[in-house]
Structure formats: C-alpha cells, structure tokens
Amino acid sequence: MKRNLSALKKALQFGISGAVGGFVGNLITEPFMQRLPGSESFFDSVLSTGRWFGLVGGGIATAIMFGYYYYIKGKPQIKQALKNGGLFGLIAGAISGAIAEGIYSGIGDGNNELLRVICWGIAGSLLGLGLAQRIPNLGALRGTGGGGVGGVLGGCLFILFAYNLSGTAGRLAGCAAIGFWIGMMLVVAETLFNKAWLVISYDTGANRTLTLGSEPVTFGSDENLSIICIPNVSPLAMRFELEAGQIVCENVDSGAVSYLRSGDQKRIGNCTITVGNSDLPTPTPANIPPTFISDQPAVNSFTSSQLSLKLASRVIPLSAGTQLFTSDIPSLTAAASNGLVAIVTSRSRNELSLGLTNLCDRAWWATDIQGDIKMVEPESTLTLALGTQIEFGEIDGEIV
C-alpha cells in the first residue's frame, strides 16, 4: 500500500511536470508557428514539425527531469534538469517530430486521425527512450513503452483540443496533455514492470519509491556521491543494486555486504528503507549432495570436534550430516516444505573437508578471515573454515 501511494504521487508529479514542460515548450514556438505559410512542401513540413516538437520535447524532458530531481531530492534542481533534460530532449523531440511528420505526410492524406495518433505514439516512445538514459534504472523498454502509450493518450487529447479550441489554445492544451501522459506513463510502466524497488520512509512521514537495477541507488550526505541525500551520515554511506536477480546492499562505512529479500529493512539517518521485489519463482531445491557419515564416533571425528556454528549465544557443533532448520536460523525460509535450510556435507569419508549447503530460498554472504566476500547461492555449498562469518539475512553466524 505504501509503495502504491508513493508511486501514485510520483506519477502525478511527473505528469504535472511534463504538462508544464509541454505547455511552455509550445508557448515558445507559437511565434514561429504563426509565421508558417499555409501551404508547405513535404520537406518544409517535416522541417517545421521537427523544429516545433524539438522545442516541445525539450520542454517536456526538462520538466520531467525537474520533477524527478524534486521527487528524490525534495528541492528544485533547475540547473541539473536543464543539463540532463534540455539538450537531449530537444534532439529527441526534433528527430521524433520529423519522423512522425514524415510518416503522416508521406502515407497519410492529411485527414487520417488514427495515423496521427500513431505518429504521436512514435514521438512519445522516442522521447521516453531518451528519458530512460537519464532516469536511473528506468530501462529502455519501460521508457519506450511508457513514452509510446503516453504519446498515444496525449495525442488523442491533442486532436480533441485541436477540434474544439482555437489554433493556439488547442496546441497549448494538446502539448500539455502529451507531456502529462508521457510523464504519467513512464512511472506507470516503471512501477508495473520493475523487478525490485526501494520504499524510502522518512521520519517526517514522507515516502519515496525508487526502482532498483544495475545502476546503484546510493545514500549519503554528499549530493555529488549520493542519489538520496541523508543529513548527518557519511558522504557515501549505503549502496543498493540488483545483481544477477538478487538485491544487494553494501554498507560503505563497514564494507559489509548483505543480500535482501522483499520486506527486509535498513535504517540510515532519518529514514527507513524497505526492500520490495516482484514474486520471482522460488528456486526449486536440487538433489542434496551425497553426504558421507564418518565411520568414526563423533568424539573421535577429526572435524566434528573442531568446527561449530556460533549464532549469538548459541553454538551448534557441525559434522557431516548435521541439519539446520528454520527453528535454528529463523531469518531463513526453507525452499522445501520440510523446513530444512542447510545441511553439512563432506566430500571425503574422513571429514577432512566439510561444506555447508544452502537449502533455503535466498543467498547468504560469507566473509573469510582474509576479508574476501563470497555469495552462497541456493543449492550451492560453502567450504567451512575457522573464522568464516556468514550472514543469514538478519542473523549473523561464525564458524568457530
């Protein structure tokens, strides 16, 4: 619910920003529109439409980037919006407008409104593709699709306004509608089709939602290093990203790396970060690797008397065949119905080498005594060694 409300607020903010950008962009072009002759050649028509929608696209892109920065920073970032939205929006708008006009004038008869709507969709999709290169983790497909749908919806309103309002008023209202729906549909596409996200809840009650992807979402007090600025913390304090389908959080201060699943939370400064992901298929447990039980009694076994798993104040002796259940590590969820989350295995009968096989639905993170970090994915096995620290979600263990 919190995510949906935050996403709705974000969509409205992007939509209103896009509407203002479309309105202002067209307002700037109106003097040029008035000077256009009533009858133009094909080339002149393509050129003038490209010039017109270039300025409109630049206005829409700049305004949407302004809305994006205001959404994540909580304050105006006009210079950044112009830098990252103005030029590329101008270019993308000019190209898309020229292409759309070329299609409309080349194969249309000047009265085909369905073709005109399709052309608006093409223009919106190219503008959305350009915005996807500026908004972190929006993605080319979501940007193109959202921009295309927004262009179609806005194009329908543009035609409606053109028929019912005067030329200037119709263009102003129509461009505002196109900007509104492009901004709205970018967020809708991002929300519907993203795989993972963060809901940032501030102590003031404000909430923001950001999509996770290959580009890290960073938190810290330095605006040049962090996407989300948090006062009174390190310049770069925490980093989240989606890596190989798994949500990874790095505490930059300590160097600790953790794997998170939906519902997990992290606290930093004045906000709580809640992780969410789509219902990805739970990995099916593979056959448990062959386990060799030592012929020696446990008291004489070489390894069983040496290695144990320390979980807070509890110490669990480990030997080949030892099974760990959710009752032992409550932060883990078993992939199978038997509640088994891990089992100790041995590749040799004298137990000289023991491993801990992951049978839960999430990865672990292991750090050896040299400080090297390794991901232990479901169904894989970690070779046990003294001093290895294992992060089982919110519970930390150590091999002693």
Side-chain angles (χ1 to χ4, degrees):
M1 177 63 70
K2 188 180 294 185
R3 180 211 178 197
N4 293 335
L5 290 175
S6 180
L8 177 61
K9 176 184 176 182
K10 183 178 180 181
L12 288 173
Q13 191 164 323
F14 276 46
I16 293 171
S17 297
V20 172
F23 183 92
V24 172
N26 187 81
L27 188 64
I28 295 173
T29 65
E30 276 305 304
F32 302 101
M33 298 293 293
Q34 297 300 329
R35 296 191 189 107
L36 292 177
S39 178
E40 295 180 313
S41 67
F42 174 82
F43 177 78
D44 289 337
S45 179
V46 169
L47 184 62
S48 62
T49 301
R51 178 183 60 189
W52 168 60
F53 199 69
L55 290 173
V56 173
I60 292 174
T62 301
I64 288 178
M65 291 306 301
F66 178 88
Y68 167 75
Y69 286 124
Y70 190 83
Y71 179 79
I72 64 173
K73 304 286 186 183
K75 58 183 180 180
Q77 300 277 313
I78 299 176
K79 183 178 179 180
Q80 285 294 101
L82 284 170
K83 177 182 176 181
N84 293 315
L87 181 59
F88 98 85
L90 180 68
I91 296 173
I95 294 174
S96 61
I99 291 175
E101 180 62 29
I103 294 174
Y104 182 72
S105 299
I107 64 177
D109 57 4
N111 295 307
N112 191 331
E113 301 302 348
L114 176 60
L115 181 59
R116 181 178 295 187
V117 168
I118 293 174
C119 290
W120 279 121
I122 294 172
S125 65
L126 292 178
L127 195 58
L129 177 61
L131 284 165
Q133 311 306 313
R134 296 296 189 273
I135 299 177
N137 298 317
L138 173 59
L141 288 177
R142 290 192 291 264
T144 303
V149 174
V152 168
L153 294 175
C156 291
L157 289 176
F158 186 97
I159 295 171
L160 179 64
F161 292 142
Y163 275 108
N164 291 278
L165 299 173
S166 65
T168 298
R171 284 191 294 270
L172 288 171
C175 288
I178 289 171
F180 176 83
W181 282 110
I182 289 178
M184 279 280 293
M185 294 311 299
L186 286 176
V187 179
V188 170
E190 178 188 49
T191 303
L192 290 178
F193 300 106
N194 61 0
K195 294 182 179 179
W197 58 88
L198 301 176
V199 177
I200 306 163
S201 303
Y202 292 87
D203 294 342
T204 58
N207 295 300
R208 294 188 177 95
T209 301
L210 292 181
T211 295
L212 277 177
S214 57
E215 185 171 344
V217 176
T218 51
F219 294 77
S221 59
D222 190 332
E223 291 189 359
N224 296 320
L225 298 175
S226 306
I227 292 178
I228 302 296
C229 293
I230 307 294
N232 304 318
V233 299
S234 300
L236 179 58
M238 196 170 290
R239 180 186 291 115
F240 293 81
E241 63 184 309
L242 188 64
E243 185 176 295
Q246 298 179 346
I247 303 171
V248 181
C249 171
E250 178 186 359
N251 187 319
V252 180
D253 291 331
S254 65
V257 179
S258 58
Y259 168 82
L260 305 176
R261 61 181 175 181
S262 187
D264 287 348
Q265 294 184 332
K266 293 288 185 179
R267 178 74 183 177
I268 176 173
N270 62 350
C271 70
T272 300
I273 305 165
T274 305
V275 172
N277 61 22
S278 55
D279 295 328
L280 299 176
T282 302
T284 55
N287 294 331
I288 297 176
T291 299
F292 299 98
I293 306 300
S294 174
D295 295 332
Q296 301 290 335
V299 293
N300 295 326
S301 174
F302 175 80
T303 306
S304 62
S305 62
Q306 283 192 333
L307 296 184
S308 298
L309 176 62
K310 183 179 180 181
L311 297 169
S313 60
R314 184 183 179 192
V315 177
I316 303 174
L318 301 178
S319 60
T322 298
Q323 297 179 336
L324 301 176
F325 294 86
T326 52
S327 57
D328 299 307
I329 313 177
S331 61
L332 299 181
T333 301
S337 59
N338 58 7
L340 187 63
V341 295
I343 187 170
V344 179
T345 59
S346 175
R347 294 185 176 86
S348 60
R349 292 185 177 276
N350 59 8
E351 298 188 9
L352 290 176
S353 177
L354 292 181
L356 189 64
T357 300
N358 183 353
L359 299 179
C360 70
D361 64 351
R362 62 187 299 181
W364 312 330
W365 289 93
T367 306
D368 62 22
I369 56 176
Q370 284 79 32
D372 294 331
I373 301 175
K374 177 183 179 182
M375 178 189 291
V376 185
E377 298 180 352
E379 306 170 13
S380 63
T381 300
L382 171 69
T383 300
L384 297 180
L386 284 171
T388 299
Q389 296 181 346
I390 310 173
E391 184 178 319
F392 302 107
E394 299 302 317
I395 296 179
D396 295 331
E398 182 180 2
I399 304 300
V400 296

